[in-house]
């Protein structure tokens, strides 16, 4: 049975409330022993729990401006659309972090609804299960209230592909451009939309023409940010250069992670292994996806997972990045729909992991 958008919204709201309760209880009982809490925080745990780690960078960009360093951590690593949205909300007099929390919640709710519409359009028979797989993902709290850009990116990219499936290539390109102004995986968005557009035109009997190339315009968001970085700091790829401040590796050390993993104790390896397993599961879905959903989605998935998989220092973070790989959840639903017991087990384990990760994040521990 195809899922209705209102059903998807209610599921998101239920998970949002659950995450807020879990985080609040964890903070109240165990405190915030981690180092991820920002300087400014709120007395109410259901608000304070969302202001962790990268929230400080978005605060800087929204309140002040970008800075850049080729050797140390700097704001140039963060794409502009989300902090610009925060700044727009702040014009009403709203606190910078409240603006971020509110925007994440609204964008997250809209993203889940849009995902449900896209899933119902592509595979209505498993769309309900696909939504459950998404909203119970262990890192979904990042689109519930955390001051991060994941919710906005998910909304933009799912809308782009939904519009493309509806034959509205212009709108698909616009939302694709917004997506590439939000997160640094523009190749996945641009090539995914391009390949899918060509697929759809060929299926409709069209010959190759200039209209096949319209989705290339979705790179405009990335190009605009690169132009700003070149004008302001003289480095159009500053968002890559400044990664040196996070001690990101390169070459074989980046691919095989031995530069970071060899320094960890055996027990410490469990956490990066968890992230790695989630990422490889998403990556593996790209191959069967080429037949079930199309080559465009397979290309998008392979690049959206492959880029951070190669560049990540120690795999940590990849579990969160899979949220952006929205076709994976529909592909997983197709696989699990014929195995109801496995589907229940997946959702149960994923829900337990969501509780654990939400608690860790609220207590200030680094999760992704």
């Amino acid at each position: 049975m195809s899922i209705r958008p209102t059903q998807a919204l209610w599921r998101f709201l239920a998970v949002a409330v659950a995450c807020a309760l879990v985080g609040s209880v964890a903070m109240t009982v165990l405190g915030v022993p981690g180092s991820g809490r920002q300087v400014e925080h709120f007395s109410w745990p259901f608000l304070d729990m969302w202001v962790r780690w990268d929230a400080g960078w978005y605060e800087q960009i929204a309140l002040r401006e970008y800075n850049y360093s080729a050797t140390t951590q700097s704001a140039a690593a963060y794409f502009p659309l989300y902090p610009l949205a925060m700044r727009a909300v702040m014009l009403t007099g709203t606190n910078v972090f409240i603006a971020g929390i509110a925007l994440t919640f609204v964008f997250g709710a809209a993203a889940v609804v849009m995902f449900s519409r896209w899933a119902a359009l592509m595979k209505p028979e498993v769309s309900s299960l696909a939504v459950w797989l998404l909203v119970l993902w262990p890192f979904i709290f990042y689109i519930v209230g955390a001051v991060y850009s994941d919710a906005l990116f998910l909304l933009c990219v799912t809308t782009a592909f939904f519009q493309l499936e509806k034959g509205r290539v212009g709108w698909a390109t616009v939302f694709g451009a917004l997506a590439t102004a939000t997160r640094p995986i523009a190749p996945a968005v641009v090539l995914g939309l391009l390949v899918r557009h060509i697929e759809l035109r060929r299926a409709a009997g069209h010959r190759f023409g200039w209209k096949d190339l319209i989705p290339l315009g979705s790179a405009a968001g990335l190009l605009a940010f690169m132009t700003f970085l070149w004008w302001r700091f003289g480095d159009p790829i500053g968002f890559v250069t400044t990664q040196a401040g996070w001690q990101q590796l390169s070459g074989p050390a980046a691919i095989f992670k031995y530069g970071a993993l060899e320094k960890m104790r055996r027990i410490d390896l469990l956490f990066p292994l968890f992230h790695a397993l989630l990422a490889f599961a998403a990556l593996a879905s790209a191959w069967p996806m080429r037949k079930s959903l199309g080559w465009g989605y397979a290309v998008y998935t392979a690049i959206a997972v492959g880029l951070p998989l190669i560049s990540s220092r120690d795999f940590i973070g990849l579990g969160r990045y899979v949220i952006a790989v929205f076709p994976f959840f529909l592909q997983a639903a197709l696989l699990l729909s014929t195995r109801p017991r496995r589907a229940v087990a997946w959702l149960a384990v994923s829900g337990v992991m969501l509780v654990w990760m939400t608690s860790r994040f609220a207590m200030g521990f680094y999760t992704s």
Side-chain angles (χ1 to χ4, degrees), residues 260-283:
L261 296 179
E262 68 181 6
K263 300 178 182 179
M264 296 183 177
R265 297 173 300 173
R266 188 171 299 175
I267 186 66
D268 294 330
L269 290 174
L270 293 177
F271 196 51
L273 178 61
F274 173 61
H275 282 267
L277 287 174
L278 297 180
F280 280 114
L283 185 62

Side-chain angles (χ1 to χ4, degrees), residues 168-190:
R168 304 163 187 154
V169 63
W171 281 113
T173 303
V174 169
F175 281 100
L178 293 175
T180 63
T182 306
R183 288 279 307 280
I185 54 172
V189 177
V190 176

Side-chain angles (χ1 to χ4, degrees), residues 33-51:
S35 58
R37 180 183 243 166
Q38 299 304 304
V39 175
E40 180 181 346
H41 57 272
F42 304 98
S43 57
W44 295 315
F46 64 86
L47 291 178
D48 183 69
M49 64 175 286
W50 302 120
V51 185

Side-chain angles (χ1 to χ4, degrees), residues 115 118-119 122-123 126-127 129-140 154 157-158 161 274-290 292-294 296-302 304-305 318-337 346-347 350:
F115 172 78
W118 170 81
M122 299 295 293
K123 299 290 180 180
V126 297
S127 58
L129 177 57
V131 171
W132 276 125
L133 294 174
L134 173 63
V135 298
L136 289 178
W137 187 247
F139 297 91
I140 204 63
L154 183 61
V157 75
T158 51
F161 278 94
F274 173 61
H275 282 267
L277 287 174
L278 297 180
F280 280 114
L283 185 62
S285 73
W287 185 247
M289 192 182 296
R290 78 195 194 283
S292 58
L293 301 178
Y297 295 105
V299 168
Y300 173 79
T301 297
V305 179
L318 297 179
R320 171 169 68 92
Y321 300 152
V322 172
I323 296 173
V325 191
F326 68 98
F328 162 68
F329 298 99
L330 186 56
Q331 183 62 41
L334 287 170
L335 175 64
L336 293 171
S337 62
W346 178 312
L347 292 174
S350 186

